[in-house]
Amino acid sequence: PRRRPLSAMGSTVGTLLRLVLQHPARAARLPVDLIPTENAEGQALIGIIDAMSTGDLATNAGLGALVEQFRETPHGDTLARVAGELVDAEFDEAVVELLFEDSVRKLHADAIGREIAALTAKERETGLAPIERHRLAELLIEKMNLVNLGKVQDV
């Protein structure tokens, strides 16, 4: 079977989960409030972050130990599946940190996009209060700054 690069393995949350499974200490650097919870990978990622923040999971836990710790939890199947996918993943350690940072930036950009969409929809339906207009302007500037960084795709 042909090996796939880590960055070609799906969503931003999926990429972050794979990076955290390979480098659990990175979980402490993730913004929990930006991680979408509508899919199993996002929920599993939050589960890992929670376990690390409470000291239930060591930052130097190996992949097998991490998967085993979550085996009897709601995240067990997801983590076992993703860990199995990692067998065919290529990790270029020289770019792993860049991939991690770009993925976190993408989470941030996605959150900004969702908030902009919600405010513009409200503006069309009922109009915005002055504080909401100010927030929309702040978000648009923040989005422009992220785009100017040139590191986030599909902002």
Side-chain angles (χ1 to χ4, degrees):
R2 185 167 175 209
R3 295 174 62 87
R4 297 179 297 166
L6 181 67
S7 60
M9 292 190 152
S11 71
T12 302
V13 171
T15 298
L16 285 168
L17 179 59
R18 286 159 181 83
L19 286 169
V20 166
L21 285 174
Q22 287 293 331
H23 303 278
R26 295 188 196 288
R29 297 174 40 208
L30 288 173
V32 177
D33 58 326
L34 297 181
I35 298 171
T37 59
E38 61 267 0
N39 65 40
E41 288 180 341
Q43 293 169 8
L45 190 54
I46 289 173
I48 292 170
I49 295 167
D50 289 345
M52 294 198 102
S53 68
T54 61
D56 293 336
L57 182 64
T59 58
N60 62 351
L63 180 60
L66 197 150
V67 171
E68 180 60 26
Q69 180 164 342
F70 284 92
R71 186 168 46 98
E72 298 296 326
T73 72
H75 312 302
D77 290 342
T78 300
L79 292 176
R81 175 184 51 80
V82 172
E85 293 170 4
L86 289 175
V87 172
D88 290 330
E90 288 183 16
F91 283 88
D92 181 352
E93 295 299 328
V95 297
V96 166
E97 181 62 21
L98 180 60
L99 180 59
F100 179 82
E101 290 174 4
D102 283 350
S103 295
V104 170
R105 240 186 313 285
K106 178 75 167 93
L107 278 183
H108 188 73
D110 290 348
I112 290 171
R114 286 189 301 273
E115 194 172 350
I116 288 171
L119 285 171
T120 54
K122 182 177 181 186
E123 183 176 35
R124 282 190 298 272
E125 293 172 15
T126 61
L128 296 176
I131 195 162
E132 292 169 320
R133 275 194 192 90
H134 180 73
R135 177 66 181 150
L136 181 57
E138 288 176 339
L139 290 168
L140 291 170
I141 290 168
E142 197 170 347
K143 177 181 176 181
M144 188 172 54
N145 288 338
L146 282 173
V147 169
N148 288 338
L149 283 175
K151 295 192 181 215
V152 177
Q153 300 293 328
D154 302 323
V155 176

